[in-house]
């Protein structure tokens, strides 16, 4: 059921029969859900009913969705409280619970998630955005944003910072992505007289995205509800300095003054100052930031994440088998046979735009 240009809602009475059919057809050894909404909730319920090993990963903060709730603030606070309670209840059925960063794990625990949480990066393909040099192809220092044009991304702050920074540096801004904020952002560019400095590229191909990363001078992510920010990881893998809001899990991707800068959420003047610092840096300074960004990206290689997740599947299967059998040797042998072959896996994922 469509409720928004980039968000969909699956209703339980339609989802559950489909999930049951998927279990019948695939007979999974382990189920990995990526949240707690209708599709994932049905998968959790069916895995529990059938005694199938369950791994759960949380990518969601209530702040990602509350801007789309047409309700007063007092009711949104109740919805936020209910969302955390619902996550705690459903994640309690998981054999293993993960999230992408230690900061997101802390936030989950602070909001009542009682199940032990393991930290596993989403991972990044280090080859996809790799390139040479720290300047890219742009003659003019260019700031890049990649992501949904949604309220919690605060893209307007980048535009306002550009309007301030151009008095000290010749800067341009490229924005990749679409969303409900696009008309407002375009109007803001007109109001601030920076339309000639801002390019809205919309949704792009993989190759066009790679080119955007490689030609930019710096990447900016002012969002305040990111549990990791794959776009920022992509910029790091492209060896670019990054400017990120000092909020939630973003700071773990930045060594302030080494591979970029942090700025306080909402501080347009501070963001503009950091833009000018990078735009006026020497080639030697930019090259040093490029190397530092790439080094941070390498800690998040997709190969490492895949190896870790596969080991969790085997652990979850082992734990579930032991609970069902009481640890008999026959079933232990069967478990070893399962582990020898890659287990059949259903990966239920909620639709979640980048």
């Amino acid at each position: 059921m469509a409720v928004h240009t980039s968000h969909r809602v699956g209703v339980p009475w339609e989802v559950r029969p489909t999930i049951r059919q998927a279990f019948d057809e695939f007979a999974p050894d382990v189920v990995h859900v990526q949240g707690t909404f209708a599709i994932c909730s049905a998968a959790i319920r069916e895995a529990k009913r059938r005694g199938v090993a369950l791994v759960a990963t949380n990518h969601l903060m209530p702040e990602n969705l509350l801007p789309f709730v047409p309700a007063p603030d007092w009711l949104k606070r109740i919805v936020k409280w209910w969302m955390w309670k619902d996550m705690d209840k459903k994640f309690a059925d998981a054999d293993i619970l993960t999230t992408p960063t230690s900061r997101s794990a802390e936030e989950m625990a602070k909001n009542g998630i009682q199940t032990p949480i393991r930290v596993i990066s989403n991972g990044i393909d280090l080859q996809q955005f790799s390139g040479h040099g720290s300047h890219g192809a742009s003659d003019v220092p260019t700031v890049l944003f990649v992501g949904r044009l949604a309220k919690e991304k605060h893209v307007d702050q980048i535009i306002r910072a550009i309007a301030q920074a151009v008095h000290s540096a010749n800067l341009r801004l490229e924005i990749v992505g679409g969303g409900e904020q696009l008309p407002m952002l375009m109007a803001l560019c007109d109001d601030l007289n920076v339309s000639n400095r801002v390019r809205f590229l919309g949704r792009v191909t993989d190759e066009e995205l790679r080119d955007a990363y490689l030609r930019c001078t710096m990447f900016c992510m002012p969002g305040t509800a990111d549990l990791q920010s794959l776009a920022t990881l992509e910029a790091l893998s492209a060896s670019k300095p990054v400017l990120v809001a000092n909020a939630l899990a973003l700071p773990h991707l930045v060594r302030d003054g080494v591979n970029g800068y942090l700025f306080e959420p909402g501080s347009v003047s501070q963001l503009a100052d950091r833009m000018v610092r990078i735009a006026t840096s020497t080639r030697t300074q930019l090259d040093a930031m490029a190397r530092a960004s790439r080094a941070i990206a390498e800690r998040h290689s997709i190969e490492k994440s895949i190896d870790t997740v596969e080991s969790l599947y085997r652990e979850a299967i082992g734990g579930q088998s032991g609970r069902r059998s009481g640890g008999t040797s026959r079933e232990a042998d069967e478990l070893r046979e399962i582990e020898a072959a890659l287990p059949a896996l259903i990966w239920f994922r909620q639709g979640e735009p980048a």
Side-chain angles (χ1 to χ4, degrees):
M1 180 172 67
V3 295
H4 183 264
T5 56
S6 60
H7 292 277
R8 301 291 183 269
V9 173
V11 290
W13 54 89
E14 292 180 352
V15 168
R16 288 173 183 169
T18 303
I19 294 299
R20 285 195 294 269
Q21 182 180 354
F23 271 78
D24 290 339
E25 292 177 357
F26 290 99
D29 299 303
V30 59
V31 173
H32 191 166
V33 296
Q34 304 288 318
T36 58
F37 288 157
I39 295 175
C40 294
S41 180
I44 292 170
R45 179 175 178 173
E46 196 64 19
K48 182 178 180 181
R49 188 176 74 85
R50 300 187 187 215
V52 176
L54 178 65
V55 176
T57 297
N58 182 45
H59 299 279
L60 180 74
M61 293 290 291
E63 287 78 4
N64 297 133
L65 295 181
L66 289 178
F68 306 111
V69 177
D73 289 344
W74 65 267
L75 183 54
K76 288 184 179 181
R77 288 193 290 271
I78 294 175
V79 172
K80 180 179 178 180
W81 173 86
W82 175 85
M83 287 179 69
W84 282 117
K85 287 293 183 182
D86 184 63
M87 280 192 273
D88 181 45
K89 178 182 177 182
K90 290 172 180 173
F91 284 148
D93 289 328
D95 296 287
I96 296 172
L97 174 61
T98 77
T99 196
T101 65
S102 58
R103 184 67 184 84
S104 60
E106 292 170 6
E107 194 71 14
M108 289 167 65
K110 186 179 76 173
N111 283 280
I113 304 299
Q114 300 179 56
T115 304
I117 305 166
R118 305 194 196 185
V119 175
I120 303 175
S121 174
N122 288 318
I124 184 74
D125 182 349
L126 294 172
Q127 301 306 313
Q128 185 177 1
F129 301 101
S130 61
H132 299 287
S134 56
H135 288 283
S138 296
D139 295 329
V140 176
T142 301
V143 181
L144 176 67
F145 170 83
V146 175
R148 289 177 290 110
L149 303 185
K151 187 175 180 180
E152 79 273 12
K153 297 296 186 180
H154 304 296
V155 181
D156 64 296
Q157 294 177 14
I158 311 178
I159 296 172
R160 296 179 192 279
I162 287 286
Q164 289 187 18
V166 293
H167 298 295
S168 303
N170 184 20
L171 281 164
R172 289 181 184 170
L173 169 63
E174 290 192 344
I175 297 175
V176 173
E180 75 281 351
Q181 294 282 298
L182 178 59
M184 182 275 287
L185 295 172
M186 296 181 73
L188 179 62
C189 290
D190 290 336
D191 293 343
L192 297 176
N193 296 316
V194 292
S195 293
N196 62 327
R197 294 181 177 274
V198 181
R199 294 178 63 201
F200 291 91
L201 303 180
R203 292 178 172 86
V204 299
T205 65
D206 289 346
E207 187 61 31
E208 290 169 335
L209 179 60
R210 180 179 183 274
D211 289 344
Y213 279 118
L214 294 182
R215 70 172 170 261
C216 77
T217 310
M218 68 195 85
F219 176 84
C220 183
M221 176 53 70
T224 54
D226 287 272
L227 290 186
Q228 183 161 52
S229 179
L230 284 175
T232 305
L233 275 177
E234 290 169 352
L236 294 174
S237 73
S239 302
K240 299 298 176 176
V242 295
L243 300 167
V244 303
N246 188 14
L248 207 58
L250 289 176
H252 85 287
L253 296 176
V254 179
R255 293 177 59 198
D256 198 43
V258 178
N259 74 309
Y261 295 99
L262 296 170
F263 62 92
E264 291 307 307
S267 179
V268 172
S269 61
Q270 195 175 69
L271 175 55
D273 173 74
R274 303 306 191 258
M275 286 180 178
V276 172
R277 288 191 194 184
I278 294 178
T280 57
S281 294
T282 66
R283 179 59 181 266
T284 299
Q285 291 170 327
L286 288 173
D287 285 342
M289 282 190 277
R291 290 192 296 271
S293 286
R294 181 69 182 186
I296 291 175
E298 287 172 354
R299 302 174 195 164
H300 298 270
S301 74
I302 191 66
E303 291 81 10
K304 292 179 181 178
S305 295
I306 290 173
D307 287 345
T308 303
V309 170
E310 286 184 349
S311 70
L312 293 185
Y313 293 158
R314 295 184 175 92
E315 180 182 339
I317 292 169
Q320 190 63 237
S321 178
R323 282 189 290 276
R324 289 197 301 265
S325 67
T328 66
S329 59
R330 183 178 65 82
E331 293 204 356
D333 290 339
E334 291 176 351
L335 173 60
R336 280 190 288 271
E337 291 178 7
I338 291 173
E339 291 179 343
L342 284 175
L345 169 66
I346 296 178
W347 190 311
F348 293 103
R349 183 169 185 174
Q350 296 165 191
E352 186 178 342

Coordinates of all heavy atoms in Angstrom, one line a residue, residues 49-110:
R49 N 7.3 -19.5 15.2 CA 6.3 -20.6 15.2 C 6.9 -21.9 14.7 O 6.6 -23.0 15.2 CB 5.1 -20.2 14.3 CG 4.0 -21.2 14.4 CD 2.8 -20.7 13.5 NE 3.1 -20.8 12.1 CZ 2.8 -21.9 11.4 NH1 2.4 -23.0 12.0 NH2 3.1 -22.0 10.1
R50 N 7.9 -21.8 13.8 CA 8.5 -23.0 13.2 C 9.8 -23.4 13.8 O 10.4 -24.4 13.4 CB 8.7 -22.8 11.7 CG 7.4 -22.5 10.9 CD 7.6 -22.5 9.4 NE 6.5 -22.0 8.7 CZ 6.1 -22.5 7.5 NH1 6.9 -23.4 6.9 NH2 5.0 -22.0 6.9
G51 N 10.3 -22.6 14.8 CA 11.5 -22.9 15.4 C 12.7 -22.7 14.5 O 13.7 -23.4 14.6
V52 N 12.7 -21.7 13.6 CA 13.7 -21.4 12.7 C 14.6 -20.3 13.3 O 14.1 -19.4 13.9 CB 13.2 -20.9 11.3 CG1 14.3 -20.5 10.4 CG2 12.3 -22.0 10.7
A53 N 15.9 -20.5 13.1 CA 16.9 -19.5 13.7 C 16.6 -18.1 13.1 O 16.3 -18.0 12.0 CB 18.3 -19.9 13.4
L54 N 16.7 -17.1 14.0 CA 16.4 -15.7 13.6 C 17.5 -14.8 14.0 O 17.9 -14.7 15.1 CB 15.1 -15.3 14.3 CG 14.6 -13.9 14.1 CD1 14.2 -13.7 12.6 CD2 13.4 -13.6 15.0
V55 N 17.9 -14.0 12.9 CA 18.9 -12.9 13.1 C 18.1 -11.6 12.8 O 17.4 -11.6 11.8 CB 20.1 -13.1 12.2 CG1 21.0 -11.8 12.4 CG2 20.9 -14.3 12.6
A56 N 18.3 -10.6 13.6 CA 17.6 -9.3 13.3 C 18.6 -8.2 13.3 O 19.6 -8.2 14.1 CB 16.5 -9.1 14.4
T57 N 18.4 -7.3 12.4 CA 19.2 -6.1 12.3 C 18.3 -4.8 12.3 O 17.3 -4.8 11.6 CB 20.1 -6.1 11.0 OG1 21.0 -7.2 11.0 CG2 20.9 -4.8 10.9
N58 N 18.7 -3.9 13.1 CA 18.0 -2.6 13.2 C 18.7 -1.5 12.4 O 19.8 -1.2 12.8 CB 17.7 -2.2 14.6 CG 16.9 -0.9 14.7 OD1 15.9 -0.8 14.0 ND2 17.3 0.0 15.5
H59 N 18.0 -0.9 11.4 CA 18.5 0.2 10.7 C 17.7 1.5 11.0 O 18.0 2.5 10.4 CB 18.5 0.0 9.2 CG 19.3 -1.2 8.7 ND1 20.7 -1.1 8.5 CD2 18.9 -2.5 8.5 CE1 21.1 -2.3 8.1 NE2 20.1 -3.1 8.1
L60 N 16.7 1.4 11.8 CA 15.7 2.4 11.9 C 15.7 3.2 13.2 O 15.9 2.7 14.3 CB 14.3 1.8 11.7 CG 13.1 2.8 11.8 CD1 13.1 3.6 10.5 CD2 11.8 2.1 12.0
M61 N 15.6 4.5 13.1 CA 15.3 5.4 14.2 C 13.9 6.0 14.0 O 13.5 6.3 12.9 CB 16.3 6.6 14.3 CG 17.7 6.1 14.6 SD 17.9 5.6 16.3 CE 17.7 7.1 17.1
P62 N 13.1 6.1 15.1 CA 11.8 6.7 14.9 C 11.8 8.0 14.2 O 10.9 8.4 13.4 CB 11.3 6.9 16.3 CG 12.0 5.8 17.1 CD 13.3 5.6 16.5
E63 N 12.9 8.8 14.3 CA 13.1 10.1 13.7 C 13.1 10.0 12.2 O 12.8 10.9 11.5 CB 14.4 10.8 14.1 CG 14.3 11.3 15.6 CD 14.5 10.3 16.6 OE1 14.7 9.1 16.3 OE2 14.3 10.6 17.8
N64 N 13.4 8.7 11.6 CA 13.3 8.6 10.2 C 11.9 8.6 9.6 O 11.7 9.0 8.5 CB 13.9 7.2 9.8 CG 15.4 7.1 10.2 OD1 15.8 6.1 10.7 ND2 16.2 8.1 9.8
L65 N 10.9 8.3 10.5 CA 9.5 8.2 10.0 C 8.6 9.3 10.6 O 7.6 9.7 10.0 CB 9.0 6.9 10.3 CG 9.6 5.7 9.6 CD1 8.9 4.4 10.0 CD2 9.5 5.8 8.1
L66 N 8.9 9.8 11.8 CA 8.0 10.8 12.4 C 7.7 12.0 11.6 O 6.6 12.5 11.7 CB 8.6 11.2 13.8 CG 8.6 10.1 14.9 CD1 9.2 10.6 16.2 CD2 7.1 9.6 15.1
P67 N 8.6 12.5 10.8 CA 8.3 13.7 9.9 C 7.1 13.4 9.0 O 6.4 14.3 8.5 CB 9.6 13.9 9.1 CG 10.7 13.4 10.0 CD 10.1 12.2 10.6
F68 N 6.8 12.1 8.7 CA 5.7 11.8 7.8 C 4.4 11.5 8.5 O 3.4 11.1 7.9 CB 6.1 10.6 6.9 CG 7.4 10.8 6.2 CD1 8.6 10.1 6.6 CD2 7.6 11.8 5.2 CE1 9.8 10.3 5.9 CE2 8.8 12.0 4.6 CZ 9.9 11.2 4.9
V69 N 4.4 11.5 9.9 CA 3.2 11.3 10.7 C 2.5 12.6 10.8 O 2.9 13.6 11.4 CB 3.6 10.8 12.1 CG1 2.3 10.6 12.9 CG2 4.3 9.4 12.0
P70 N 1.2 12.7 10.2 CA 0.5 13.9 10.2 C -0.2 14.0 11.6 O -1.4 13.8 11.7 CB -0.6 13.7 9.1 CG -0.7 12.2 9.0 CD 0.6 11.6 9.4
A71 N 0.5 14.5 12.6 CA 0.0 14.5 13.9 C 0.7 15.6 14.7 O 1.9 16.0 14.4 CB 0.2 13.2 14.6
P72 N 0.1 16.1 15.8 CA 0.8 17.1 16.6 C 2.0 16.5 17.4 O 2.1 15.3 17.5 CB -0.3 17.6 17.6 CG -1.3 16.4 17.6 CD -1.3 15.8 16.2
D73 N 2.9 17.3 17.9 CA 4.1 16.8 18.5 C 3.8 15.9 19.7 O 4.5 14.9 19.9 CB 5.0 18.0 19.0 CG 5.6 18.8 17.8 OD1 5.6 18.2 16.7 OD2 6.0 19.9 18.0
W74 N 2.8 16.2 20.5 CA 2.5 15.4 21.7 C 2.1 14.0 21.2 O 2.5 13.0 21.9 CB 1.4 16.0 22.5 CG 0.0 16.0 21.9 CD1 -0.5 17.1 21.2 CD2 -1.0 15.0 21.9 NE1 -1.8 16.7 20.7 CE2 -2.1 15.5 21.1 CE3 -1.0 13.7 22.4 CZ2 -3.2 14.7 21.0 CZ3 -2.1 12.9 22.2 CH2 -3.2 13.4 21.5
L75 N 1.4 13.8 20.1 CA 1.1 12.5 19.6 C 2.3 11.8 19.0 O 2.4 10.6 19.2 CB -0.1 12.6 18.6 CG -0.6 11.3 18.1 CD1 -1.0 10.4 19.2 CD2 -1.8 11.5 17.1
K76 N 3.2 12.6 18.4 CA 4.4 12.0 17.8 C 5.3 11.4 18.9 O 5.9 10.4 18.8 CB 5.1 13.0 17.0 CG 4.5 13.4 15.7 CD 5.4 14.4 14.9 CE 4.8 14.7 13.6 NZ 5.6 15.6 12.8
R77 N 5.3 12.1 20.1 CA 6.1 11.6 21.2 C 5.5 10.2 21.7 O 6.3 9.3 22.0 CB 6.1 12.6 22.4 CG 6.9 13.8 22.1 CD 7.1 14.6 23.4 NE 5.9 15.3 23.8 CZ 5.5 16.5 23.4 NH1 6.3 17.2 22.6 NH2 4.4 17.0 23.9
I78 N 4.2 10.1 21.6 CA 3.6 8.8 22.0 C 3.9 7.7 21.0 O 4.3 6.6 21.3 CB 2.1 8.9 22.1 CG1 1.7 9.9 23.3 CG2 1.4 7.6 22.3 CD1 0.3 10.2 23.5
V79 N 3.9 8.1 19.7 CA 4.2 7.2 18.6 C 5.7 6.7 18.7 O 6.0 5.5 18.6 CB 4.0 7.8 17.2 CG1 4.5 6.9 16.1 CG2 2.5 8.1 17.0
K80 N 6.6 7.6 19.1 CA 8.0 7.3 19.2 C 8.1 6.3 20.4 O 8.9 5.3 20.2 CB 8.8 8.6 19.5 CG 10.3 8.3 19.7 CD 11.0 9.7 20.0 CE 12.5 9.4 20.2 NZ 13.2 10.7 20.5
W81 N 7.5 6.6 21.5 CA 7.5 5.6 22.6 C 7.0 4.3 22.2 O 7.6 3.2 22.6 CB 6.7 6.2 23.8 CG 6.6 5.3 24.9 CD1 7.4 5.1 26.0 CD2 5.5 4.3 25.2 NE1 6.9 4.1 26.9 CE2 5.7 3.6 26.4 CE3 4.3 4.0 24.5 CZ2 4.9 2.7 26.9 CZ3 3.4 3.1 25.0 CH2 3.7 2.4 26.2
W82 N 5.9 4.2 21.5 CA 5.3 2.9 21.1 C 6.3 2.2 20.1 O 6.4 1.0 20.2 CB 4.0 3.2 20.4 CG 3.4 1.9 19.9 CD1 2.7 0.9 20.5 CD2 3.6 1.4 18.5 NE1 2.4 -0.1 19.7 CE2 2.9 0.1 18.5 CE3 4.3 1.9 17.4 CZ2 2.9 -0.6 17.3 CZ3 4.2 1.1 16.2 CH2 3.6 -0.1 16.2
M83 N 6.9 2.9 19.2 CA 7.8 2.3 18.3 C 9.0 1.6 19.0 O 9.4 0.5 18.6 CB 8.4 3.3 17.3 CG 7.3 3.8 16.2 SD 8.0 5.0 15.1 CE 9.2 4.0 14.2
W84 N 9.6 2.3 20.0 CA 10.7 1.6 20.7 C 10.2 0.4 21.5 O 10.8 -0.6 21.5 CB 11.3 2.6 21.7 CG 12.2 3.6 21.1 CD1 12.1 4.9 21.0 CD2 13.5 3.3 20.4 NE1 13.2 5.5 20.3 CE2 14.0 4.5 20.0 CE3 14.2 2.1 20.1 CZ2 15.2 4.5 19.3 CZ3 15.4 2.1 19.5 CH2 15.9 3.4 19.0
K85 N 9.0 0.5 22.1 CA 8.4 -0.7 22.8 C 8.1 -1.8 21.9 O 8.4 -3.0 22.2 CB 7.1 -0.2 23.5 CG 7.3 0.6 24.7 CD 7.9 -0.1 25.9 CE 8.0 0.7 27.1 NZ 8.7 0.0 28.2
D86 N 7.6 -1.5 20.7 CA 7.4 -2.6 19.7 C 8.6 -3.2 19.2 O 8.7 -4.5 19.1 CB 6.6 -2.0 18.5 CG 6.2 -3.0 17.5 OD1 5.4 -3.9 17.8 OD2 6.7 -2.9 16.4
M87 N 9.7 -2.4 19.0 CA 11.0 -3.0 18.6 C 11.5 -3.9 19.7 O 12.0 -5.0 19.4 CB 12.0 -1.9 18.3 CG 11.8 -1.3 16.9 SD 13.2 -0.2 16.4 CE 12.7 1.3 17.1
D88 N 11.4 -3.5 20.9 CA 12.0 -4.3 22.0 C 11.2 -5.6 22.1 O 11.9 -6.7 22.3 CB 11.8 -3.5 23.4 CG 12.3 -4.3 24.6 OD1 13.4 -4.9 24.4 OD2 11.6 -4.4 25.6
K89 N 9.9 -5.6 22.0 CA 9.1 -6.8 22.0 C 9.5 -7.8 20.9 O 9.7 -9.0 21.1 CB 7.6 -6.5 22.0 CG 6.7 -7.7 22.0 CD 5.3 -7.3 21.9 CE 4.3 -8.5 21.8 NZ 2.9 -8.1 21.6
K90 N 9.6 -7.3 19.7 CA 9.9 -8.2 18.5 C 11.3 -8.6 18.5 O 11.6 -9.8 18.1 CB 9.5 -7.5 17.3 CG 7.9 -7.3 17.2 CD 7.5 -6.5 16.0 CE 6.0 -6.4 16.0 NZ 5.5 -5.4 15.0
F91 N 12.3 -7.7 18.8 CA 13.7 -8.1 18.8 C 14.0 -9.2 19.9 O 15.0 -9.9 19.8 CB 14.6 -6.9 18.9 CG 14.7 -6.1 17.7 CD1 14.8 -4.7 17.8 CD2 14.6 -6.6 16.4 CE1 14.9 -3.9 16.6 CE2 14.7 -5.9 15.3 CZ 14.9 -4.5 15.4
A92 N 13.1 -9.2 20.9 CA 13.4 -10.2 22.0 C 13.3 -11.6 21.4 O 13.8 -12.6 22.1 CB 12.3 -10.0 23.1
D93 N 12.6 -11.9 20.3 CA 12.5 -13.2 19.7 C 13.7 -13.6 18.9 O 13.8 -14.7 18.4 CB 11.3 -13.3 18.8 CG 10.0 -13.3 19.7 OD1 10.0 -13.8 20.8 OD2 9.0 -12.7 19.2
A94 N 14.6 -12.6 18.7 CA 15.8 -12.9 17.8 C 16.9 -13.7 18.6 O 17.1 -13.5 19.8 CB 16.4 -11.6 17.3
D95 N 17.5 -14.7 17.9 CA 18.6 -15.3 18.5 C 19.8 -14.4 18.5 O 20.7 -14.5 19.5 CB 19.0 -16.6 17.6 CG 17.9 -17.6 17.6 OD1 17.7 -18.3 18.6 OD2 17.2 -17.7 16.6
I96 N 20.0 -13.5 17.5 CA 21.1 -12.6 17.5 C 20.5 -11.2 17.0 O 19.8 -11.2 16.0 CB 22.2 -13.0 16.6 CG1 22.8 -14.3 17.2 CG2 23.3 -12.0 16.4 CD1 23.8 -15.0 16.2
L97 N 20.9 -10.1 17.6 CA 20.4 -8.8 17.2 C 21.6 -8.0 16.9 O 22.6 -7.9 17.6 CB 19.6 -8.1 18.3 CG 19.2 -6.7 18.1 CD1 18.3 -6.5 16.9 CD2 18.5 -6.1 19.4
T98 N 21.6 -7.3 15.7 CA 22.8 -6.5 15.3 C 22.3 -5.1 14.9 O 21.1 -4.8 14.7 CB 23.5 -7.1 14.1 OG1 22.8 -6.8 12.9 CG2 23.7 -8.6 14.3
T99 N 23.2 -4.2 14.8 CA 23.0 -2.8 14.3 C 24.3 -2.3 13.8 O 25.4 -2.8 14.1 CB 22.5 -1.9 15.4 OG1 21.9 -0.7 14.8 CG2 23.5 -1.5 16.4
P100 N 24.3 -1.3 12.9 CA 25.6 -1.0 12.1 C 26.7 -0.3 13.0 O 27.9 -0.4 12.6 CB 25.1 0.0 11.0 CG 23.7 -0.3 10.9 CD 23.2 -0.6 12.3
T101 N 26.4 0.4 14.0 CA 27.4 1.2 14.8 C 27.2 1.1 16.3 O 26.1 0.8 16.8 CB 27.4 2.7 14.4 OG1 26.1 3.2 14.8 CG2 27.5 2.9 12.9
S102 N 28.3 1.3 17.0 CA 28.2 1.3 18.5 C 27.3 2.4 19.0 O 26.6 2.2 20.0 CB 29.6 1.4 19.1 OG 30.2 2.6 18.6
R103 N 27.3 3.5 18.3 CA 26.4 4.6 18.7 C 25.0 4.3 18.6 O 24.2 4.6 19.4 CB 26.7 5.9 17.9 CG 26.0 7.1 18.3 CD 26.4 7.6 19.7 NE 25.6 8.7 20.1 CZ 24.4 8.6 20.7 NH1 23.9 7.4 21.0 NH2 23.7 9.7 21.1
S104 N 24.6 3.6 17.5 CA 23.2 3.2 17.3 C 22.9 2.1 18.4 O 21.7 2.1 18.9 CB 23.0 2.6 15.9 OG 23.8 1.5 15.6
A105 N 23.8 1.2 18.7 CA 23.6 0.3 19.8 C 23.3 1.0 21.1 O 22.4 0.6 21.9 CB 24.8 -0.7 19.9
E106 N 24.1 2.0 21.4 CA 23.8 2.8 22.6 C 22.5 3.4 22.6 O 21.8 3.4 23.7 CB 24.9 3.9 22.8 CG 26.3 3.3 23.0 CD 27.4 4.4 22.9 OE1 27.0 5.6 22.7 OE2 28.6 4.1 22.9
E107 N 22.1 4.0 21.5 CA 20.8 4.6 21.4 C 19.6 3.6 21.6 O 18.6 3.9 22.2 CB 20.7 5.3 20.0 CG 19.5 6.3 19.9 CD 19.7 7.6 20.8 OE1 20.9 7.8 21.2 OE2 18.7 8.3 21.0
M108 N 19.8 2.4 21.0 CA 18.8 1.4 21.2 C 18.7 1.0 22.6 O 17.6 0.9 23.2 CB 19.1 0.2 20.3 CG 19.0 0.4 18.8 SD 19.8 -0.8 17.8 CE 18.8 -2.3 18.2
A109 N 19.8 0.8 23.3 CA 19.8 0.4 24.7 C 19.2 1.5 25.6 O 18.4 1.2 26.5 CB 21.2 0.0 25.2
K110 N 19.5 2.7 25.3 CA 19.0 3.8 26.0 C 17.5 3.9 25.9 O 16.8 4.4 26.9 CB 19.6 5.1 25.5 CG 19.2 6.4 26.4 CD 19.9 7.6 25.8 CE 19.3 8.1 24.6 NZ 19.8 9.4 24.1

